[in-house]
Amino acid sequence: MASGAGKRFGASDESHNPPITPTHPENPVANQQLGELEQELYRMLSLHSVTSTSSSAKGQAAAPPEDRQSYKKIGAGACGAVFAQEGKSFALKLAKSTDSDLWNDYLMHLLIFEKIKRREIEIKVPECYFFVPKEDPEYFQVHQTLCEAAQDVCHVPTDILVTERIIPFPEVTRKLLIEKYCAGRIKQRALTDPANKDCLVRVYLGSLQGKSGGMFFSLRNFKLHLNQMVELQLDVEGMASQMGKSLAVMHWAARTDARDVEFALGSLTEKSITDYDEVLKMKPRTFTGPESRRNEDFFHRKIELWLLDFNQVRTITLDKAGVAQVVEAMTINDPYFPKPLQDNPVARRVWNRFAASYLEVAAVVLKEQDPTVQELPRTVLQRLVEVQQKKQAKA
């Protein structure tokens, strides 16, 4: 796709079209032999890889009824704190303040979910279920254990947004991440810290600053930088493509700035069903269940790239003001997005793939618009190039 994108960018007016940096097809790490630990992390963190869910199923089997089962905090941000029950598929974001951020989160989440689904973009967005206003007494009466869990974090009752929970990485992956990236002096503490069970991996394609062995370590929203992903030979170009396509939908189909959205690797539960044609090739009455013979292992976790957190997203207009709003949102966000004009060859390829995918989807979304509007996505990328040029000039 990157080569095709080069043709699309290769118009005569170079000042208007974002440059595609020449790259070489060879991945400088692709032919290197990974160590045993790195091989396991590659397998566990790669998009669409599959692992068993038997460990979580055991906890779910013994769970008490919903109104008595305890909640635990699994995440927090400026807008609210997120709670969940063990083995349950719901995540509940409780507002920390009385402003309208959580209602905006609800509206933008619904909008973006629908637009992404309609365009059949591969990236996953948690399903958005329902909103609970703080003035609804019945909900809080039913969920007393939620109130107890949240009382030290939020002023309960408060507004609640109920969504699909992104399933965290299983224990085997968490142990590998700790072994690889945690300083030896705090590894045991990290292994026993219950907060590390809530492990999602933020994808920082715009940063080459990933390090290990720091004073502090947490697997809750663990940050994996581009240089670390390259070391593990993960499909960074595939992630960049998903990121570019989803941003194009958020900008030009949903008409939002996608401010402060997050991209993270997490799990998706799926059934390991054998298809009809495959069964026809088998001897009649062949066992087709899980190798472990445990019924719970019929379900597997599949690793996907997820898009989440929409409380700061704002609508845009299809004009220069909208472009400025989009560029500002992209430059103040965490370094999820690839950066242009990088010296690193992998970083250049990642930017090229991101930019090409962004323009590809934007062109489809805006094909019925007038030519001035159709040029806005290219203008966004050009502005990002200019921002990076200014940063490099100051360095």
Side-chain angles (χ1 to χ4, degrees):
M1 184 177 293
S3 60
K7 295 178 181 177
R8 285 195 292 273
F9 280 5
S12 58
D13 184 4
E14 293 184 358
S15 64
H16 184 67
N17 292 289
I20 286 287
T21 309
T23 60
H24 299 286
E26 296 84 6
N27 184 335
V29 298
N31 297 320
Q32 295 180 9
Q33 183 66 37
L34 291 177
E36 184 176 345
L37 173 60
E38 287 75 17
Q39 285 180 2
E40 282 298 299
L41 278 171
Y42 166 79
R43 186 172 67 86
M44 294 291 181
L45 297 176
S46 291
L47 291 177
H48 317 311
S49 62
V50 173
T51 56
S52 169
T53 64
S54 57
S55 60
S56 61
K58 287 187 291 185
Q60 187 172 355
E66 180 181 4
D67 59 346
R68 297 202 308 271
Q69 185 179 352
S70 62
Y71 285 81
K72 69 169 184 173
K73 188 176 76 170
I74 61 171
C79 174
V82 184
F83 292 82
Q85 293 172 309
E86 188 69 35
K88 300 295 185 181
S89 59
F90 293 88
L92 294 85
K93 183 183 287 189
L94 277 65
K96 287 184 177 179
S97 63
T98 57
D99 57 29
S100 59
D101 274 4
L102 201 61
W103 182 253
N104 185 71
D105 196 340
Y106 181 43
L107 293 178
M108 295 298 103
H109 193 153
L110 285 172
L111 173 65
I112 290 169
F113 177 87
E114 291 172 4
K115 296 297 183 181
I116 293 283
K117 185 177 181 180
R118 186 176 304 169
R119 296 288 172 179
E120 298 183 344
I121 304 300
E122 191 176 7
I123 201 165
K124 302 300 179 184
V125 181
E127 292 200 46
C128 190
Y129 295 139
F130 57 90
F131 184 89
V132 181
K134 65 179 182 180
E135 295 84 6
D136 188 291
E138 292 183 42
Y139 188 87
F140 294 94
Q141 290 169 6
V142 171
H143 298 276
Q144 288 292 328
T145 54
L146 174 62
C147 298
E148 294 167 5
Q151 62 185 357
D152 294 332
V153 181
C154 309
H155 295 291
V156 182
T158 187
D159 292 346
I160 300 175
L161 179 58
V162 183
T163 69
E164 174 187 6
R165 182 184 181 185
I166 303 172
I167 302 171
F169 280 97
E171 182 180 11
V172 60
T173 309
R174 300 196 303 268
K175 286 183 176 179
L176 290 168
L177 288 169
I178 291 170
E179 180 63 29
K180 174 69 175 174
Y181 298 112
C182 183
R185 62 187 178 278
I186 56 173
K187 273 184 182 177
Q188 189 56 42
R189 189 194 317 163
L191 287 167
T192 57
D193 184 354
N196 283 336
K197 292 183 179 180
D198 310 317
C199 175
L200 300 179
V201 175
R202 292 184 179 184
V203 176
Y204 280 5
L205 293 182
S207 168
L208 291 164
Q209 304 302 314
K211 300 176 182 178
S212 59
M215 294 288 293
F216 175 77
F217 184 87
S218 174
L219 286 180
R220 185 177 281 176
N221 293 323
F222 181 75
K223 302 171 181 64
L224 199 63
H225 299 247
L226 179 59
N227 59 302
Q228 295 167 320
M229 289 183 269
V230 169
E231 182 190 7
L232 298 176
Q233 299 183 14
L234 299 182
D235 183 13
V236 290
E237 291 188 48
M239 295 182 202
S241 178
Q242 288 194 36
M243 204 175 284
K245 290 177 180 179
S246 61
L247 269 178
V249 171
M250 286 188 282
H251 291 162
W252 311 114
R255 300 187 183 183
T256 69
D257 59 8
R259 181 182 295 266
D260 206 39
V261 297
E262 297 184 4
F263 294 85
L265 294 174
S267 302
L268 176 72
T269 300
E270 68 170 20
K271 304 176 183 70
S272 52
I273 297 175
T274 309
D275 63 40
Y276 174 75
D277 290 335
E278 190 175 348
V279 172
L280 282 181
K281 300 174 185 177
M282 299 178 182
K283 182 180 177 180
R285 303 183 64 253
T286 297
F287 179 80
T288 60
E291 292 183 10
S292 65
R293 267 52 180 184
R294 289 176 53 88
N295 291 335
E296 295 90 349
D297 288 348
F298 175 70
F299 297 92
H300 289 84
R301 292 181 183 181
K302 187 176 182 181
I303 304 306
E304 298 287 358
L305 184 61
W306 291 82
L307 168 64
L308 63 153
D309 278 1
F310 308 100
N311 60 288
Q312 293 191 38
V313 175
R314 300 293 183 266
T315 57
I316 64 168
T317 50
L318 298 185
D319 52 22
K320 291 182 179 179
V323 167
Q325 192 176 335
V326 164
V327 172
E328 181 195 27
M330 291 183 68
T331 52
I332 66 172
N333 204 349
D334 287 343
Y336 296 105
F337 312 124
K339 288 184 171 64
L341 308 179
Q342 299 299 297
D343 293 330
N344 182 286
V346 178
R348 290 201 298 269
R349 288 203 302 273
V350 166
W351 163 259
N352 289 350
R353 185 70 177 275
F354 168 81
S357 298
Y358 181 80
L359 290 182
E360 176 189 349
V361 172
V364 175
V365 170
L366 298 175
K367 63 182 179 181
E368 303 297 331
Q369 298 288 336
D370 64 63
T372 303
V373 173
Q374 291 178 13
E375 281 298 310
L376 295 179
R378 287 183 178 273
T379 305
V380 166
L381 296 185
Q382 181 60 42
R383 295 291 178 268
L384 291 173
V385 170
E386 293 169 0
V387 168
Q388 188 63 26
Q389 286 173 333
K390 290 179 181 178
K391 286 184 178 179
Q392 292 177 348
K394 292 179 180 179

